[in-house]
Structures are given as structure tokens and as C-alpha cells.
């Protein structure tokens, strides 16, 4: 991915509404994980998540009318993408172009979203009618027109962020909506950067967004044994699971020429990616870490950097016993005794599922800018099985300005991204 | 710039309302025997639309020998496993211990959620207005059932296919509504070109013929309500068209780096030569009357394939049979082909098998492959009344013999994503820019 630079960042999650505010919270050791407030958790087995404080849909979406046709996950995606676009100055630049130049600019600008898909809440719009008809299909079908929001299907589309970010900023180039669980966000960046590197577009917006904190989803994650009681403690001997967060992360990537032509701020660059599929089933991961190890090796190779050039690793670190263990083994196997400082953000912002890889890459850029590897203050004792993994409670200095970011998702998908700070 | 890696289509598989394999589907499409019929999968008697094109006589257990895998599969997943099995067997190559990391998987997945029995049961047990009562949810059968969780994941199909074939490289699941299948195949093309993988299993699967899916389309008024004449209801480009007919199924292709396919002596059906992928950024459901959006997708696909409009001998249109799509798509084709539009044969096979939503682009990619292989174009069925807004060289009445140098497949989705794919006859070299 030669010459793909980053010119804008946007992020929102429980810890803040900008990359700077979120990293501030992380460095101050503040976790956004707290008792869930959006539904009654009095009788709830796992009542902790990182929700967006003072969530105001109309303010975040920037357009009250849109709320009829989009969901919470789309609102946060639209917000983060808009922040990244404005930070890059892309919209202001386009507005200054003449008709034909503007049309060309739009067609040469791509848009890639990592989306959590539908989940469950959007289907509850049918509950009142199901209740009225006792679930009898003929009556349900007959009363449909009077009982349900006619825009239901549109509101439920997983690709709504593509649609509305595209309309807002007039983006008309190559695009994708990736619904690949928690590697979605990272794949949105990979596909955006590859599109730019391969001359399909001159610039592209990548955004990962998800709001997985809904009762049914939280309950199923708990049922699958994936959730912690109250603290997400990555790589710790006492870790007992993950906890959910919500939000979005977005980046604007472009060719060096495109950034230079409009004197855009260059915040860093995307160097390469690597991928693996473990193919063990929906939830299972391989014990030996061969999946993430394959992704890491391929990413270093694609980026053309050696393991020694990696200055910090932002791990997936979701806090589940099996994922953290295999991820740690993969890092130790691929880096040997030369592993740079390893950190992660989920202890503070929760697991944003489809948004995780996107927001964590955004935060990696912000950390590189500040020249700091944030610590993991909830770390008590590193699991003795991988005691040499260089994680720490306190912030450290990165070994250089190149970061490796890791993501893993259901279906045994692994992705690794190599980025360089400015 | 180095020359693009060429990509060969070496295996194909289909499960569609027109047949449960490639041969039977192709025969039905060539004959234009439209499959619209009253819905039998569930009691649709109360719905404003009670017709669809269903997959018929499909017995998953008879074609997939892995009971454990099928336990996790919903209806669309079973179609996907069967069609992918066909494609892999047809290609005569599959991932091995040595090659698995160089195999990718790219699938267009439908909208996922709870199936009707679970949704209605949960609604009665724990519904609280348009929300769920957490306390009653915890106590409900649906809330305790891990299978509901597994089947509702967007990556469930990806996980089943990955496991079935032992794919070890880049895997991805994409969703851009009705463009999903085309974009999934386009994504796989890019992955091979940029060297991330050497081979891919790519396709799409969907089944929205269920109460929740049908309800969504009925609410939007997007489906034809010609309940008394179901086999005539899907009539793309006809002046009296009034909505699409919902279909279901799966289509898969095996894609290979050209040189690797040649080296192993593979039969190459066609070259997957170009991908055009644009965003309309107009309105969420409406397509621009001028064809803006689809125009760019088609032009970019041709440019990517080093082909010009005059090379195109067949367009498999998106052609949903909705008033708006067919007019806007016709406008787009007129813009792309100019005066040549009268020469280019067009058909929408949705006239025969209905609209397979997230699977449509993948299934129709296979149709283009077959048109190239056999030099035969399938029928645009049910066409009787010309619409001046859709003045096209439609393949009507019966199949048409036509050797095909370049074929195109269009898929345009709600939300404004447009996918066009360009396929070259394996022996046609015209127009290709030399590196």
C-alpha cells in the first residue's frame, strides 16, 4: 500500500467524542465501563458496558429528519465519519471546486463501512403487531400496513452509513459495507487503503460503527461465556471475559498527491495488512495462535517492515481467556524476544465489535502522535502462560512510530494492520 | 504500472428457484419458464403479496454430508453450502494444507436477524411496546437459545463455508443490499489482483421469503401484488411492470489466478475481467432518473476489463421489474452504449427466477459465465408491452444464439451501491491494453 496517507480522524465511544478526548481518558486511567443505563439491569447477569454518555441522536446525526430512517449504530457512524471528513478538510475543498471538477472529485472518492449488521432491536418494531395478532400470520400480514413503520426495511439496512455519509458529502466512488463481525472496522480501512493504493480512488473514507449493547445481544454473549463479570482485564491471569462498548471510528485516507494538492494535514500512513481465517467454526479459535500469527507475518511482509521496526502493538485484547491466550502466543511467536510494548484499549472503551478495529486504529494514530503507549491500569498479574508479553499498567514510550493493530472476529477471522505516525 | 493479474472463473454452482444446480437452472432460464407462484413456505394468505419464486425440492441433507454443519445452517446457509460444494467440485481444486492460506472467501450475505418463529415467540413472551422487557427476555426460551444467536450472526455463513472447505486466507462478508452478490465477487477479484490470495470461493446467498422479509418489502410497496398471475408478475422492462417477485437461493464461483488455472490445466469458463463499483449518493431507495451512479459502475467495469462498449454482446440487467429501476437502468445503458444500444442484447433473468436480493449479483454472474460458455442468451420472460423509457434490444420470446465476447452483469442496491461486473470470453483478446 505505497503512498497511502491519513488526513482525518474521527471517533466516538463511551470514553469521549473525539480521538483526543478518548486518549486523554485512557491515559488518565478512566474506564467508561459502568452499569448499563439504557435498559433495566436489575435482574441482569452481566450488567456492565461502555455506553456513550449523554447520547443525543439529533445532535450526533446533525439532522433530526434522518432519525426516522436510521438507527443508533448509523447515528454514531455518521458522526465519526463526518468528524473525520471535516478534520481532513475534504468537504470544504470539494465545495470550492467547479461543477465538473467537483463531480470528478466525488467519483474519485470512495467510502467503506464496517457495520455490525442488524442485530435484534430493529426487529422489535414488529412486537406490537405480534402482540395484537397473537402471532397469527394471516392476521399479522393483513394488519401490517397499519401497524408497522413503512420504512422498517430501510431503517434496518446494514449499509445505511454508506448511503447517508455518501449523500451528505457527495461521495460517489468505490464502496463496500463489510459485515464481518469484529474485523469489519479494520477491513473497512484495509479496503479503503487498497482502493487508493490501486488507483480505484484518489481518497476514501473508512468508518467502523456498532452499537451492540442491547439486551438480547448482551444476553447471548453472556450465554456463550464471553462476558466478564465487571472488569475487562486483557492478558491478565484473572481475566474472565469481554465487555461491550459502542461507538465508531473513522479515517480519511488518500494518495500523497491528493493530500498535497489540497494542502491537507498528514497524520500518518497506512503501510500494509495481513489476514487469516482459522475456519474452526463460528465462535472457536485455534489454541495455538496460528491465525493471528499468520496475519501478523503477512502484514509485516505487505508493509515491507521487519518486526524490529514495529514501535508498539495495539492488541485485540478482548479479555476472553481463549482469544487473549492465542493472541499473546501469536505475538510472542512472531516477535520472539523483541516484542515492542503491547497495549489495548478495550479495558477502557469496551469491545465495540464491528467498530473495534476502526476506532482502535484511530486511537493508535493519536497515541503515536503523542509518542506514548498507553498503559492497561486494570492489569493485575500477566498470565504466567505468556508472562513475557510486554504489557504494562503504566504508559511507556513506543520503540518507533510504526504501530501494529490487531483485530479478530467470529468465524475465526484475523486481521493485522501496520500504520506509521506522522 | 504492472499489468493486472488476470482472474479465471473455473467453477460454478447454483441453487435457485429455477433449479437446484447449474444445469437445471440454465435450462429453465433459457426457456424463460417463470417461477413465480403462490408462497408455500409459510402462510402468506394475509399479506398483500402472496407470491414468490421459491427454491423447490431442496433437501439439504441429501446434498451436504455434514449433519453438524447443517445444524447451524438456516435456509440461506444451506443453499450457500450446496452451491459452494458444486462450484468447488466443478473447479476440481480445493484448499489443501499447503494452499489454504492462499485461498480467500468473499460472500454477499443477506440481512440477518431472528427468524419468524423466534421473533413471534419472543414478542409474545417478552415484548414491551417496540422494545423487549429484559426481565422476561432472560426467562424466555428465545433468550436462552444459543442457536438463535449463532444463526443470526452476519458471519454465520462465512464461518460455515470456511469450515466446510478449510479456507485459511482473507475472508469477508459484505452487505450492500441487492448489490451484495456482485460486490462480493468484485471484492474477490481485487484480492487476487493485489496478491492477497491466489484463489477464492466467492458468491452470495439469501432467502427473504419469510414473514419478516416479505413484510419489509410489502411495507415499501416494492413487490408485485399480482397474486392471480404469479408467473407473469415479474416482467422487467414491460410497460405494465409493478414490482419485483422475491426469489431465494445462492450462487458461487471459484476464481483463480489465470496462470495458476492454466498451469493445472483447468477448464476456464470465462475471465472475470472488470469490476465497477459506485455509490449513487442520491436517495436511499430511489435511483437517479438519469442513471447517474449505475452509469459510472458500468463504465468503470468496462475500463477495468480493458473493454469498450462495442465489445459487449450481452448485458444481464439488474432489471427488477419495478417501475423506477428499469427506467433508470435503461437510461444508464443508453448513456453507456450510446447509439450502440440497439445492438446490445439485454435480458433480466429476474423475469424467470425472481429477485434473489443479496444472492442476485452472484447468481447472475454465473448466468453471464454460462452465456459465454454456450453462446446462448437467456430470455427476458413475460415481456409483452413496450415501454418507451425502456427501449432496449431485449431477448424476448425465446433464447438467442449469440457468441459473447464480453458480458456484463448489473446489480444495484437500496442505499445506492452499484455493482457492475465484466466477463470476457477466455479466447477474446480484443481491446486489451498490453503492459
Amino acid at each position: 500500500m505505497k503512498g497511502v496517507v491519513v488526513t482525518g480522524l474521527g471517533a466516538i465511544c463511551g470514553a469521549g467524542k473525539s480521538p483526543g478526548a478518548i486518549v486523554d481518558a485512557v491515559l488518565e486511567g478512566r474506564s467508561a465501563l459502568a452499569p448499563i443505563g439504557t435498559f433495566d439491569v436489575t435482574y441482569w447477569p452481566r450488567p456492565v458496558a461502555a455506553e456513550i454518555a449523554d447520547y443525543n441522536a439529533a445532535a450526533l446525526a446533525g439532522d433530526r429528519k434522518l432519525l426516522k430512517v436510521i438507527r443508533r449504530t448509523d447515528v454514531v457512524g455518521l458522526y465519526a465519519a463526518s468528524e473525520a471528513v471535516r478534520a481532513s478538510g475534504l468537504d470544504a475543498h470539494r465545495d470550492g471546486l467547479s461543477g465538473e471538477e467537483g463531480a470528478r472529485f466525488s467519483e474519485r472518492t470512495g467510502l467503506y463501512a464496517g457495520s455490525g449488521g442488524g442485530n435484534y432491536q430493529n426487529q422489535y418494531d414488529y412486537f406490537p403487531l405480534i402482540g395484537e395478532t397473537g402471532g397469527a400470520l394471516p392476521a399479522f400480514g393483513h394488519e401490517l400496513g397499519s401497524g408497522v413503520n413503512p420504512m422498517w426495511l430501510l431503517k434496518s439496512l446494514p449499509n445505511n452509513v454508506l448511503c447517508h455519509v455518501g449523500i451528505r458529502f457527495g461521495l460517489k466512488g468505490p464502496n463496500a459495507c463489510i459485515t464481518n463481525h469484529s474485523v469489519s472496522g479494520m477491513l473497512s480501512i484495509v479496503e479503503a487503503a487498497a482502493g487508493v493504493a490501486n488507483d480505484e480512488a484518489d481518497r476514501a473514507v473508512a468508518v467502523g460503527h456498532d452499537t451492540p449493547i442491547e439486551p438480547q445481544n448482551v444476553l447471548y454473549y453472556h450465554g456463550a461465556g464471553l462476558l466478564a463479570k465487571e472488569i475487562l482485564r486483557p492478558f491478565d491471569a484473572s481475566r474472565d471475559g469481554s465487555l461491550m462498548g459502542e461507538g465508531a471510528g473513522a479515517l480519511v485516507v488518500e494518495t500523497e498527491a491528493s493530500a498535497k494538492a489540497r494542502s491537507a494535514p498528514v497524520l500518518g500512513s497506512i503501510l500494509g495488512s495481513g489476514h487469516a481465517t482459522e475456519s474452526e467454526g463460528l465462535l472457536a479459535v485455534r489454541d495455538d495462535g496460528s491465525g493471528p500469527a499468520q496475519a501478523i507475518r503477512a502484514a509485516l511482509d505487505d508493509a515491507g517492515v521487519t518486526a524490529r521496526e514495529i514501535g508498539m502493538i495495539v492488541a485485540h485484547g478482548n479479555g476472553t481467556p481463549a482469544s487473549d491466550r492465542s493472541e499473546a502466543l501469536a505475538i510472542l511467536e512472531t516477535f520472539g524476544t523483541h516484542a515492542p510494548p503491547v497495549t489495548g484499549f478495550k479495558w477502557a472503551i469496551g469491545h465495540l465489535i464491528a467498530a473495534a478495529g476502526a476506532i482502535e486504529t484511530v486511537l493508535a494514530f493519536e497515541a503515536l502522535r503523542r509518542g506514548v503507549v498507553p498503559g492497561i491500569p486494570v492489569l493485575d498479574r500477566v498470565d504466567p502462560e505468556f508472562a513475557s508479553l510486554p504489557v504494562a499498567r503504566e504508559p511507556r514510550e513506543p520503540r518507533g512510530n510504526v504501530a501494529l493493530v490487531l483485530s479478530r472476529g467470529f468465524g475465526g477471522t484475523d486481521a493485522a494492520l501496520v500504520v506509521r505516525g506522522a | 504500472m504492472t499489468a493486472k493479474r488476470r482472474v479465471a472463473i473455473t467453477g460454478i454452482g447454483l441453487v435457485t428457484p429455477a433449479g437446484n444446480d447449474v444445469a437445471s437452472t440454465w435450462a429453465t432460464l433459457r426457456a424463460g419458464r417463470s417461477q413465480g407462484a403462490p408462497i408455500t413456505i409459510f402462510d402468506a394468505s394475509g399479506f398483500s403479496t402472496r407470491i414468490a419464486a421459491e427454491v423447490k425440492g431442496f433437501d439439504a441433507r441429501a446434498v451436504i454430508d455434514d449433519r453438524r454443519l447443517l445444524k447451524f445452517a438456516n435456509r440461506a446457509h444451506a443453499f450457500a453450502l450446496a452451491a459452494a460444494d458444486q462450484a468447488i467440485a466443478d473447479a476440481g481444486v480445493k484448499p489443501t494444507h499447503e494452499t489454504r492460506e492462499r485461498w480467500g472467501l468473499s460472500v454477499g450475505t443477506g440481512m440477518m436477524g431472528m427468524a419468524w418463529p423466534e421473533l413471534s415467540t419472543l414478542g409474545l413472551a417478552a415484548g414491551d411496546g417496540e422494545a423487549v422487557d429484559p426481565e422476561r427476555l432472560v426467562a424466555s426460551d428465545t433468550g436462552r437459545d444459543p442457536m438463535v444467536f449463532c444463526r443470526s450472526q452476519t458471519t454465520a455463513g462465512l464461518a460455515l463455508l470456511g469450515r466446510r472447505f478449510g479456507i485459511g486466507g482473507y475472508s469477508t462478508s459484505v452487505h450492500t443490499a441487492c448489490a451484495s452478490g456482485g460486490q462480493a465477487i468484485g471484492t474477490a477479484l481485487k484480492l487476487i489482483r493485489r496478491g492477497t490470495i491466489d484463489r477464492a470461493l466467492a458468491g452470495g446467498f439469501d432467502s427473504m421469503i419469510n414473514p419478516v422479509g416479505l413484510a419489509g418489502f410489502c411495507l415499501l410497496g416494492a413487490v408485485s401484488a399480482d397474486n392471480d398471475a404469479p408467473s407473469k408478475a415479474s416482467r422487467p422492462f414491460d410497460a405494465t411492470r409493478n414490482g419485483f417477485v422475491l426469489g431465494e437461493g445462492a450462487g458461487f464461483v471459484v476464481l483463480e489466478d489465470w496462470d495458476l488455472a492454466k498451469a493445472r490445466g483447468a477448464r476456464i469458463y470465462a475471465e472475470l475481467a472488470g469490476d465497477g463499483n459506485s455509490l449513487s449518493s442520491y436517495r436511499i431507495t430511489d435511483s437517479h432518473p438519469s442513471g447517474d451512479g449505475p452509469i459510472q459502475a458500468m463504465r468503470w467495469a468496462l475500463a477495468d476489463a480493458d473493454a469498450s462498449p462495442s465489445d459487449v454482446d450481452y448485458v444481464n440487467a439488474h432489471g427488477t421489474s419495478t417501475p423506477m429501476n428499469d427506467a433508470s437502468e435503461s437510461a444508464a445503458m443508453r448513456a453507456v452504449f450510446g447509439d450502440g444500444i440497439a445492438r446490445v442484447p439485454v435480458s433480466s433473468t429476474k423475469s424467470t427466477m425472481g429477485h434473489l436480493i443479496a444472492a442476485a449479483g452472484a447468481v447472475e454472474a454465473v448466468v453471464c459465465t454460462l452465456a459465454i460458455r454456450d453462446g446462448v442468451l437467456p430470455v427476458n420472460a413475460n415481456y409483452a408491452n413496450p415501454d418507451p423509457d425502456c427501449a432496449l434490444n431485449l431477448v424476448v420470446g425465446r433464447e438467442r444464439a449469440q457468441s459473447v465476447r464480453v458480458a456484463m452483469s448489473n446489480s444495484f442496491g437500496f442505499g445506492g451501491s452499484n455493482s457492475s461486473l465484466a466477463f470476457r470470453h477466455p479466447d477474446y483478446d480484443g481491446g486489451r491494453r498490453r503492459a
Side-chain angles (χ1 to χ4, degrees):
Chain A
M1 292 182 189
K2 280 211 169 58
V4 180
V5 298
V6 176
T7 57
L9 300 173
I12 180 170
C13 66
K17 296 187 178 70
S18 71
I22 297 165
V23 170
D24 281 347
V26 168
L27 289 174
E28 287 162 20
R30 285 189 277 125
S31 169
L33 288 161
I36 291 168
T38 49
F39 59 91
D40 181 3
V41 289
T42 315
Y43 303 97
W44 210 247
R46 289 289 184 274
V48 175
E51 294 173 316
I52 293 169
D54 55 55
Y55 173 84
N56 179 332
L60 292 173
D63 180 352
R64 185 174 294 277
K65 289 197 304 276
L66 264 186
L67 299 181
K68 281 185 204 145
V69 289
I70 62 175
R71 295 173 291 140
R72 187 173 171 115
T73 179
D74 305 321
V75 169
V76 296
L78 190 53
Y79 170 82
S82 300
E83 289 283 294
V85 166
R86 286 172 189 140
S88 78
L90 200 141
D91 54 336
H93 177 77
R94 192 197 175 281
D95 289 346
L97 297 174
S98 69
E100 207 164 294
E101 276 180 320
R104 167 87 182 154
F105 189 88
S106 285
E107 290 183 357
R108 292 291 296 174
T109 307
L111 177 55
Y112 297 81
S115 162
N119 288 353
Y120 305 99
Q121 245 160 6
N122 60 316
Q123 293 186 293
Y124 301 163
D125 287 359
Y126 287 115
F127 279 178
L129 188 55
I130 288 169
E132 276 167 40
T133 58
L137 265 178
F140 175 84
H142 197 259
E143 300 300 322
L144 195 56
S146 55
V148 184
N149 173 6
M151 304 294 269
W152 177 79
L153 188 76
L154 301 182
K155 197 173 174 179
S156 305
L157 287 176
N159 52 315
N160 267 337
V161 166
L162 280 191
C163 176
H164 295 291
V165 174
I167 290 173
R168 174 171 289 176
F169 297 108
L171 314 181
K172 299 176 74 171
N175 61 92
C177 172
I178 298 152
T179 52
N180 214 353
H181 196 247
S182 49
V183 294
S184 302
M186 183 170 285
L187 293 189
S188 74
I189 302 170
V190 168
E191 291 307 313
V196 168
N198 295 311
D199 197 32
E200 290 155 27
D202 294 327
R203 66 203 75 74
V205 180
V207 51
H209 63 101
D210 208 350
T211 49
I213 309 167
E214 49 171 280
Q216 203 174 347
N217 206 34
V218 174
L219 187 62
Y220 288 146
Y221 273 75
H222 170 53
L226 296 171
L227 295 186
K229 280 198 186 68
E230 51 185 350
I231 300 173
L232 193 165
R233 248 187 251 280
F235 304 113
D236 196 278
S238 68
R239 70 190 182 279
D240 64 341
S242 202
L243 289 167
M244 286 179 184
E246 62 176 354
L251 302 85
V252 173
V253 296
E254 47 192 315
T255 61
E256 282 171 352
S258 166
K260 204 170 172 184
R262 58 187 191 84
S263 310
V266 172
L267 311 173
S269 51
I270 309 288
L271 300 183
S273 73
H275 307 270
T277 306
E278 302 185 27
S279 289
E280 293 290 305
L282 184 64
L283 303 179
V285 294
R286 291 188 180 205
D287 291 336
D288 59 5
S290 57
Q294 177 191 331
I296 292 169
R297 280 192 294 266
L300 296 177
D301 187 46
D302 188 41
V305 300
T306 63
R308 283 176 182 275
E309 290 174 73
I310 299 294
M312 65 184 272
I313 297 174
V314 175
H316 184 60
N318 68 10
T320 66
S323 179
D324 280 8
R325 179 180 177 279
S326 50
E327 185 180 19
L329 294 179
I331 292 170
L332 292 177
E333 190 214 306
T334 46
F335 284 86
T337 52
H338 306 293
V342 174
T343 190
F345 294 108
K346 291 187 179 73
W347 67 269
I349 67 173
H351 191 339
L352 274 67
I353 313 293
I359 194 167
E360 288 163 15
T361 301
V362 169
L363 300 181
F365 275 111
E366 178 64 14
L368 287 173
R369 190 183 70 77
R370 300 185 189 202
V372 62
V373 182
I376 303 174
V378 295
L379 199 62
D380 187 25
R381 186 170 68 98
V382 181
D383 191 325
E385 207 179 337
F386 41 84
S388 61
L389 188 77
V391 284
R393 295 169 62 92
E394 301 299 323
R396 286 161 293 170
E397 208 174 305
R399 218 163 58 180
N401 74 337
V402 177
L404 173 72
V405 189
L406 303 175
S407 271
R408 313 182 73 184
F410 284 175
T413 48
D414 301 298
L417 186 69
V418 181
V419 303
R420 189 194 298 278
Chain B
M1 231 174 139
T2 52
K4 286 172 186 156
R5 243 175 145 191
R6 292 176 74 188
V7 174
I9 299 174
T10 60
I12 51 180
L14 292 174
V15 173
T16 77
N20 296 346
D21 57 26
V22 170
S24 57
T25 295
W26 185 224
T28 307
L29 295 180
R30 286 173 65 160
R33 284 192 299 273
S34 193
Q35 299 298 304
I39 290 172
T40 66
I41 300 170
F42 66 97
D43 181 355
S45 60
F47 287 75
S48 53
T49 291
R50 304 184 281 282
I51 56 171
E54 296 175 349
V55 167
K56 294 166 279 289
F58 177 79
D59 179 2
R61 290 181 164 211
V63 286
I64 307 293
D65 56 6
D66 187 333
R67 293 286 167 98
R68 197 176 163 276
L69 215 55
L70 284 179
K71 208 179 87 173
F72 291 89
N74 67 19
R75 187 169 170 88
H77 296 146
F79 297 154
L81 287 165
D85 257 17
Q86 294 170 24
I88 291 278
D90 186 42
V93 64
K94 58 185 178 185
T96 64
H97 182 70
E98 285 71 36
T99 62
R100 61 182 295 279
E101 294 186 10
R102 301 296 301 164
W103 272 82
L105 177 60
S106 180
V107 297
T109 305
M111 289 172 65
M112 300 298 289
M114 282 178 282
W116 171 257
E118 297 145 1
L119 179 67
S120 54
T121 305
L122 181 64
L124 294 173
D128 178 12
E130 291 182 354
V132 71
D133 177 342
E135 200 182 332
R136 284 187 286 142
L137 169 67
V138 172
S140 72
D141 290 340
T142 312
R144 293 162 183 274
D145 186 352
M147 294 308 291
V148 179
F149 177 53
C150 291
R151 291 201 193 101
S152 60
Q153 292 301 307
T154 54
T155 41
L158 189 85
L160 292 170
L161 290 160
R163 173 140 185 117
R164 173 105 180 131
F165 303 107
I167 286 164
Y170 188 124
S171 289
T172 190
S173 159
V174 298
H175 181 99
T176 42
C178 316
S180 303
Q183 291 209 345
I185 290 178
T187 298
L189 169 67
K190 293 175 188 177
L191 287 169
I192 295 176
R193 279 205 186 140
R194 64 189 203 230
T196 304
I197 50 172
D198 294 325
R199 294 185 171 94
L201 176 65
F205 52 90
D206 209 348
S207 175
M208 290 187 81
I209 308 178
N210 56 61
V212 182
L214 183 65
F217 290 119
C218 283
L219 286 165
L220 279 178
V223 278
S224 171
D226 288 355
N227 296 309
D228 298 331
S231 69
K232 302 278 184 201
S234 180
R235 41 183 188 277
F237 305 110
D238 187 279
T240 66
R241 67 192 182 277
N242 62 1
F244 68 81
V245 169
L246 201 47
E248 60 175 352
F252 276 85
V253 294
V254 171
L255 302 176
E256 294 186 63
D257 168 78
W258 190 273
D259 296 337
L260 286 178
K262 279 284 186 194
R264 69 176 185 90
R267 170 208 42 217
I268 296 176
Y269 286 107
E271 176 181 359
L272 177 58
D275 172 55
N277 175 10
S278 74
L279 196 59
S280 292
S281 291
Y282 179 58
R283 290 179 192 159
I284 183 163
T285 45
D286 298 9
S287 33
H288 198 292
S290 71
D292 185 54
I295 293 173
Q296 291 89 329
M298 294 176 77
R299 285 188 176 147
W300 295 344
L302 286 174
D304 192 32
D306 289 343
S308 62
S310 61
D311 293 317
V312 177
D313 293 316
Y314 176 54
V315 177
N316 186 288
H318 186 49
T320 55
S321 185
T322 64
M324 193 165 44
N325 173 80
D326 295 1
S328 152
E329 186 176 10
S330 297
M333 284 190 269
R334 278 196 301 276
V336 171
F337 293 103
D339 292 342
I341 188 70
R343 189 199 57 81
V344 184
V346 175
S347 66
S348 166
T349 39
K350 290 186 180 74
S351 59
T352 299
M353 59 184 164
H355 189 344
L356 277 66
I357 313 293
V363 166
E364 291 160 17
V366 174
V367 172
C368 285
T369 302
L370 292 165
I372 287 174
R373 181 192 71 180
D374 292 350
V376 169
L377 309 183
V379 175
N380 191 92
N382 292 333
Y383 182 82
N385 307 288
D387 176 350
D389 288 339
C390 305
L392 300 167
N393 178 354
L394 292 168
V395 181
V396 293
R398 49 169 315 196
E399 68 177 42
R400 192 184 297 178
Q402 166 77 56
S403 64
V404 178
R405 295 165 297 162
V406 172
M408 293 189 76
S409 172
N410 286 340
S411 301
F412 312 135
F414 282 162
S417 289
N418 309 301
S419 160
S420 289
L421 297 171
F423 308 84
R424 296 178 75 107
H425 190 286
D427 301 329
Y428 179 61
D429 228 17
R432 199 186 291 284
R433 286 191 292 271
R434 303 290 169 178

